[in-house]
Amino acid sequence: MHAAPLTQADYRAYGDVVAARADVTPRPANLGFAQRYDLLSELRNARGAAAAPNLCVFRCEPMVTPGGARFDVKLLERHAHSTQVFVPMGGVRRYLVIVALGGAAPDLATLKAFLATGNQGISYHPAVWHHPLVALDGPSDFASLVWEDGGAGDCEVLRLEAPITVRF
């Protein structure tokens, strides 16, 4: 499987691209010195008041060898009741976003890989299966938002029977 460039149109079934996108009309802000792109992703928490929003930072080390152009997917995870958002911060040039639809298990026929740039954040809709972010070019920081209550439902992890290779 080859990773495709990350676009809102191609990614829509899995979540949203958090970026200054052409499909969103900006409005002026900050005394006219900024353009504000609103409502880039629906944020959902279906776990009720027991789950609190958690704004955190993930510092991701590269999962590929320097100069490598392939990655083996061995597991997928999901947050069944919450949107999860990642926005690149420091050191991010490119990263892989690997997603699949499904119910109690991922439907591997829907597995897709996207190559994101450091100017693009992403969200995962609740219950979308995904691989943890794959930093490609060096240590990469991402701000993340997810609703959690500390229980087992915060994150489900499923190991695949056989690895799936993504080329980028």
Side-chain angles (χ1 to χ4, degrees):
M1 155 190 316
H2 285 315
L6 180 64
T7 67
Q8 177 63 23
D10 292 337
Y11 189 70
R12 186 175 312 278
Y14 306 98
D16 294 293
V17 176
V18 180
R21 302 188 327 237
D23 66 319
V24 176
T25 303
R27 64 184 176 102
N30 298 345
L31 304 172
F33 289 91
Q35 295 294 309
R36 180 175 162 162
Y37 293 77
D38 288 325
L39 305 172
L40 293 173
S41 180
E42 181 181 357
L43 304 176
R44 288 184 271 168
N45 169 29
R47 297 181 77 190
N54 180 4
L55 178 61
C56 56
V57 172
F58 281 71
R59 178 159 290 156
C60 302
E61 295 295 327
M63 292 187 190
V64 298
T65 56
R70 60 176 279 161
F71 177 75
D72 289 335
V73 179
K74 298 177 182 174
L75 63 84
L76 295 171
E77 65 181 34
R78 73 175 182 163
H79 312 280
H81 308 288
S82 173
T83 302
Q84 186 178 34
V85 177
F86 284 98
V87 178
M89 293 173 57
V92 182
R93 208 176 103 225
R94 304 173 307 151
Y95 62 102
L96 286 177
V97 179
I98 301 163
V99 289
L101 302 175
D107 175 359
L108 296 180
T110 68
L111 187 76
K112 301 255 186 203
F114 297 93
L115 186 59
T117 70
N119 294 331
Q120 297 173 305
I122 55 102
S123 69
Y124 301 118
H125 293 315
V128 166
W129 289 95
H130 58 277
H131 191 279
L133 294 180
V134 180
L136 296 175
D137 302 307
S140 301
D141 287 353
F142 295 86
S144 179
L145 175 66
V146 64
W147 279 262
E148 298 175 319
D149 67 6
D154 284 349
C155 183
E156 300 170 59
V157 178
L158 181 79
R159 294 207 171 272
L160 302 181
E161 290 182 19
I164 299 170
T165 300
V166 173
R167 290 177 176 30
F168 54 93

